Amino acid sequence: MSKIVVLIATGGTIASTEDATEGAVNATLSGGDLLARLHDRPEGVSIREEAFGTLGSYALDLETVHRLCRRIAVALEQPEVAGVVVTHGTDTMEESAYLSDILVASEKPVVFTGAQRHAGEPDTDGPRNIGDAIRCAASEALKGCGTVILFEGDIHAARDVSKTHTSRVDAFRSAGLGKLGEVDGGEVYLYRRPIQGVHIATKRLESRIALMLLGLGSSPEYLDFCLQNGTKAVVLAAFGRGNAPRGFADAVRRLSTHNIPVIVASRCPEGRTLPVYGRDSGGSSLAAAGAYFSGSLSPIKARLLMSALLGAGVTSAELATKFREAVGTQV
Ligand code: ASP
């Protein structure tokens, strides 16, 4: 008996072609169009297509991706469904995949994929990626691994993966941690399993979470602006271990006293944050001012984790503990 995989198409380059009149690439193709372009359909799998949208992933928002996650969950609740494939733009794929990872409570595989070369290009990477993603979604090996991204043959955990190249087909890396496995010759090979599964049940995502990438000598005045404009939390993509330019510790203290949490993540793609350095706005000063640290979770994903925790109504009193449990840090 063949396995059933649900394919949810959202748009992205994989569903795009060039519009000659406009001179631009736009997403127009449905999931059915994508399936019709597969080179070889994986054997023993029947595919149930569900339309979701034809948007570039840069145009998605948290509410839409939350709706997508609910659709994934509903599909997986069907006993006959083995897994779900989501076709999605690469720009924010790691974000939607991470939200699916923390919001969808199912042991069944969820596999995001896309393309870097659009469907009108003779060497588009879309059909191969979809075929491999379907193989992953139908695979017993990927049960319990959470949401993954399949791209150019590699299988990455949603928590760990980032888009690291703007245009090449080999665009995704799990820096410092490595991929989970790969698809080779139509077979799924899993080398390791993620152990950091987190599940958050929430009816909404909080969108007012600011993310600030720090540069040499950046001014903390943006944090004071956040204090006034209704921002609910701030994530700093800080230096190295989690340090910031002068003045940030005082600004963090001002936010903390107003119950606006500040998360220190690192702009380094590898390694963990830790409060080590003291004076000025070194990590220890930021921690003393009330900031908490994201460990190895990237700034982009720390923002999404906060949006889920705050959306779920976690109170200020519980927030630090819940956040630390979710990222596996003590600080
Ligand atoms: N612009 C596209 C998007 O994110 C990029 C891609 O799909 O590769 O939707």
Side-chain angles (χ1 to χ4, degrees), residues 11-14 55-58 88-92 115-116 163:
T13 296
I14 195 164
L55 281 177
S57 69
Y58 46 82
H88 193 288
T90 57
D91 288 351
T92 61
Q116 288 277 68
K163 181 176 179 179

Side-chain angles (χ1 to χ4, degrees), residues 78-117:
Q78 314 307 307
E80 72 280 13
V81 170
V84 167
V85 170
V86 180
T87 54
H88 193 288
T90 57
D91 288 351
T92 61
M93 188 188 293
E94 70 206 66
E95 291 178 68
S96 297
Y98 180 65
L99 281 172
S100 163
D101 194 48
I102 62 176
L103 300 181
V104 176
S106 174
E107 289 291 292
K108 297 176 183 176
V110 180
V111 187
F112 277 66
T113 197
Q116 288 277 68
R117 296 183 183 140

